[in-house]
């Protein structure tokens, strides 16, 4: 063993020595040496710490996180700073609006063309500088269509800051037929609920005036089953062969045309909502129950059981505008699940079309954004809303849209349990008229919403 170890050491010494032995090239002197590569040992870098990102000193912002706007009016634009700033302007044009369509700038507007009010001191920012903009279609003179607005400041210190980008849609608002309390001699109003073709889960109430009947439930179901050729709505419900009333519950015996409603959960859900919303609005009906061939079922309307009667949604609702086929504006209710600050949240939804932090696709805000809710008071069952002075000047050339705005307010706030009357004040004062409406007293919810035809 010892001899083997000595031999291995000797071989190692010979190999190392040979790397420096000069070798003759064809008998000539030539030195070839071999060097071992230098091994780089990895350095210990320690745990990777998160990179701290500092906020920019100057940014642009709007009065809402919603950047997709339909038919906007007044808009708040801010230049915000994380520390006091002095701004240097080379002209009297502090803001610029670029209007972009199909990736091309089609117009560039200066301050006087779209800004309503400016800060008292535009050259100094402590926290933010607020500008009130008029982005109404009438002010900007733009045709219906989709646009991108880029808004930015011209101060030297703002160079390089990304402009505020807004996605704007302008669409001419169609006529609105106001809600009414009058059905006409010998007639009654039947309120039906139809699905919007663009959003099947959005139900739209429509009132049809038919000859008076002692069977309002049957009349409501039969009229809903017909759909509406005038407004282009298809029937959202299957046929009902028999109707019974027991202790406030309407029992509907469904017919044989259930197959497509069972196979498509969206259609089934819309049918259930249509039945429940329409029938529970009739005095004496609190709930709706279904039977199939006179029996209970655990699998109708896409998996629903018939064993538990269904009541109406008791959450408050915000009534937004549906510009139906660019032909008629109808009020459409959207449920408000958040009960915190319900009065403020309803008004926010009415003026932005945003509910629960989400813009409701396909529906428009009935109140222009420049109208503000100053405060509100509740006395008994009467809610008083004190609004800003802009309320009296909006839709000045469209009395029908002024009625839409008032109807949306009244229907929305009377959907709160315990509120039966709404009074509207402007800067603390009652107003005699808005268009041809007298708003000096309190307003009750009209009986008939969205008349199918003008009475």
């Amino acid at each position: 063993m010892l001899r083997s170890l000595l031999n291995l050491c000797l071989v190692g010494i010979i190999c190392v020595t040979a790397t420096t032995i000069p070798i003759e090239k064809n008998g000539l002197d030539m030195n070839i040496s071999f060097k071992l590569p230098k091994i780089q040992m990895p350095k210990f870098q320690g745990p990777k710490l998160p990179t701290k990102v500092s906020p920019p000193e100057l940014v642009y912002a709007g009065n809402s996180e919603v950047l997709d706007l339909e038919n906007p009016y007044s808009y708040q634009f801010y230049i915000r700073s994380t520390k006091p700033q002095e701004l240097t302007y080379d002209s009297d044009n502090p803001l610029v609006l670029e209007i972009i369509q199909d990736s091309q700038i089609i117009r560039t507007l200066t301050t006087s063309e779209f800004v309503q009010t400016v800060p008292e001191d535009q050259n100094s920012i402590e926290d933010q500088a607020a500008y009130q903009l008029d982005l109404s279609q009438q002010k900007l003179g733009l045709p219906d269509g989709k646009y991108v607005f880029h808004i930015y400041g011209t101060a030297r210190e703002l160079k390089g800051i990304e402009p505020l980008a807004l996605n704007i849609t302008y669409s001419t608002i169609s006529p609105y037929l106001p809600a009414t309390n009058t059905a006409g001699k010998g007639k009654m109003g039947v309120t039906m609920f139809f699905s919007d073709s663009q959003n099947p889960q959005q139900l739209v109430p429509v009132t049809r005036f038919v000859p008076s009947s002692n069977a309002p439930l049957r009349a409501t179901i039969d009229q809903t089953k017909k759909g509406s050729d005038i407004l282009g709505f298809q029937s959202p419900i299957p046929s009902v062969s028999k109707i019974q009333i027991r202790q406030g519950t309407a029992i509907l015996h469904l017919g044989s045309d259930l197959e497509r409603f069972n196979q498509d959960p969206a259609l089934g859900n819309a049918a259930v909502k249509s039945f429940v919303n329409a029938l529970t609005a009739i005095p004496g009906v609190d709930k709706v129950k279904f039977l199939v061939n006179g029996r209970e079922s655990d699998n109708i309307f896409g998996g629903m059981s018939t064993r538990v009667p269904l009541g109406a949604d008791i959450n408050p609702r915000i009534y937004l505008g549906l510009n139906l086929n660019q032909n008629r504006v109808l009020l459409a209710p959207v449920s408000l699940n958040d009960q915190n600050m319900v009065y403020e949240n309803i008004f926010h939804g009415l003026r932005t079309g945003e509910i629960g932090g989400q813009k409701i696709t396909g529906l428009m805000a009935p109140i222009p954004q420049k109208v503000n809710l100053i405060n509100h008071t509740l006395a008994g069952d009467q809610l008083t809303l004190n609004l800003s002075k802009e309320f009296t000047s909006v839709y000045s050339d469209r009395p029908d849209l002024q009625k839409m705005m008032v109807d949306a307010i009244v229907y929305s706030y009377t959907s709160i349990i315990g509120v039966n009357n709404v009074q509207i004040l402007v800067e603390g004062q009652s107003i005699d008229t808005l268009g041809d409406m007298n708003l000096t007293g309190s307003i009750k919810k009209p009986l008939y919403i969205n008349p199918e035809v003008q009475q």
Side-chain angles (χ1 to χ4, degrees):
M1 175 67 72
L2 181 60
R3 179 174 294 179
S4 297
L5 291 173
L6 290 174
N7 288 338
L8 287 173
C9 291
L10 181 59
V11 171
I13 292 170
I14 293 172
C15 290
V16 172
T17 305
T19 60
T20 58
I21 296 175
I23 300 177
E24 300 267 341
K25 176 185 177 185
N26 295 331
L28 301 177
D29 56 323
M30 173 180 172
N31 288 333
I32 299 178
S33 62
F34 300 88
K35 295 184 179 179
L36 297 174
K38 186 179 290 185
I39 299 175
Q40 295 290 338
M41 298 299 293
K43 294 181 180 180
F44 176 70
Q45 298 179 347
K48 189 173 183 179
L49 299 176
T51 304
K52 184 178 181 181
V53 179
S54 299
E57 291 183 3
L58 290 163
V59 295
Y60 301 125
N63 59 340
S64 169
E65 294 182 0
V66 178
L67 301 179
D68 298 320
L69 304 176
E70 295 181 17
N71 296 314
Y73 280 78
S74 186
Y75 189 81
Q76 284 282 112
F77 172 82
Y78 300 99
I79 302 174
R80 289 179 174 158
S81 177
T82 58
K83 65 180 182 180
Q85 292 275 358
E86 295 295 326
L87 300 182
T88 307
Y89 293 95
D90 294 327
S91 70
D92 58 355
N93 179 38
L95 290 188
V96 170
L97 167 60
E98 292 178 346
I99 301 175
I100 301 168
Q101 190 174 47
D102 298 329
S103 302
Q104 299 290 327
I105 298 176
I106 61 173
R107 284 176 61 188
T108 300
L109 304 184
T110 59
T111 302
S112 61
E113 296 176 286
F114 70 102
V115 178
Q116 291 178 310
T117 59
V118 300
E120 292 184 4
D121 185 1
Q122 298 183 73
N123 298 314
S124 179
I125 300 179
E126 291 296 324
D127 177 42
Q128 66 181 19
Y131 293 80
Q132 189 78 24
L133 313 182
D134 186 346
L135 302 183
S136 65
Q137 186 177 15
Q138 181 180 10
K139 174 68 175 178
L140 303 184
L142 293 171
D144 287 357
K146 295 182 180 294
Y147 303 88
V148 176
F149 285 6
H150 283 177
I151 308 171
Y152 57 90
T154 62
R156 298 176 191 173
E157 294 77 6
L158 300 173
K159 300 295 183 183
I161 298 177
E162 288 292 322
L164 180 68
L166 301 175
N167 298 311
I168 305 293
T169 300
Y170 290 119
S171 59
T172 302
I173 304 177
S174 302
Y176 172 75
L177 295 185
T180 180
N181 287 306
T182 304
K185 186 176 181 180
K187 292 187 176 182
M188 68 179 185
V190 170
T191 300
M192 308 161 290
F193 284 80
F194 295 112
S195 292
D196 176 21
S197 60
Q198 302 300 317
N199 180 8
Q201 296 307 305
Q202 178 61 58
L203 293 186
V204 184
V206 174
T207 300
R208 179 177 295 160
F209 297 102
V210 299
S212 295
S213 167
N214 293 326
L217 276 72
R218 171 51 71 183
T220 298
I221 291 173
D222 289 348
Q223 294 299 323
T224 303
K225 184 66 177 163
K226 293 179 180 179
S228 174
D229 293 335
I230 295 173
L231 297 176
F233 288 123
Q234 301 296 316
S235 170
I237 61 172
S239 59
V240 177
S241 60
K242 182 180 177 181
I243 304 172
Q244 296 174 294
I245 294 288
R246 292 179 185 170
Q247 297 179 341
T249 298
I251 304 172
L252 307 184
H253 295 252
L254 301 177
S256 58
D257 57 343
L258 269 176
E259 184 175 356
R260 69 187 185 96
F261 296 94
N262 289 340
Q263 292 177 349
D264 188 334
L267 285 179
N269 186 48
V272 171
K273 288 183 178 179
S274 179
F275 277 127
V276 173
N277 287 342
L279 298 183
T280 57
I282 298 173
V285 179
D286 301 317
K287 295 181 179 181
V288 175
K289 178 179 174 59
F290 301 100
L291 291 176
V292 180
N293 296 322
R295 299 178 179 179
E296 302 284 2
S297 172
D298 292 318
N299 188 25
I300 66 167
F301 296 131
M304 192 192 81
S305 172
T306 64
R307 300 182 189 280
V308 179
L310 302 175
D313 182 5
I314 64 173
N315 285 322
R317 294 172 295 280
I318 300 177
Y319 284 74
L320 303 179
L322 172 65
N323 203 351
L324 184 67
N325 302 322
Q326 305 299 312
N327 184 46
R328 276 275 303 276
V329 173
L330 304 173
L331 291 181
V334 180
S335 185
L336 177 64
N337 297 320
D338 186 1
Q339 302 299 309
N340 295 317
M341 300 182 66
V342 63
Y343 301 101
E344 293 83 354
N345 285 335
I346 286 178
F347 199 82
H348 176 77
L350 288 172
R351 64 190 289 271
T352 65
E354 177 187 344
I355 300 177
Q358 298 291 326
K359 185 76 169 63
I360 306 302
T361 304
L363 300 181
M364 58 171 281
I367 302 178
Q369 288 196 24
K370 65 181 179 180
V371 180
N372 293 305
L373 174 62
I374 299 174
N375 53 52
H376 65 276
T377 56
L378 181 63
D381 66 351
Q382 177 169 304
L383 175 67
T384 300
L385 303 173
N386 186 23
L387 308 182
S388 63
K389 63 181 183 298
E390 289 80 10
F391 177 77
T392 59
S393 62
V394 297
Y395 300 133
S396 58
D397 58 341
R398 292 287 303 274
D400 62 319
L401 299 186
Q402 290 177 328
K403 292 176 181 177
M404 174 193 70
M405 181 170 58
V406 173
D407 282 349
I409 289 172
V410 174
Y411 276 108
S412 297
Y413 281 105
T414 56
S415 72
I416 301 173
I417 295 175
V419 177
N420 295 319
N421 301 278
V422 177
Q423 182 173 26
I424 298 174
L425 303 179
V426 174
E427 304 288 344
Q429 304 295 319
S430 63
I431 55 175
D432 294 337
T433 58
L434 180 70
D436 58 359
M437 293 179 289
N438 188 333
L439 300 182
T440 54
S442 60
I443 309 170
K444 286 183 176 292
K445 177 180 69 175
L447 293 175
Y448 308 122
I449 189 172
N450 294 331
E452 189 176 35
V453 296
Q454 181 74 59
Q455 283 295 98

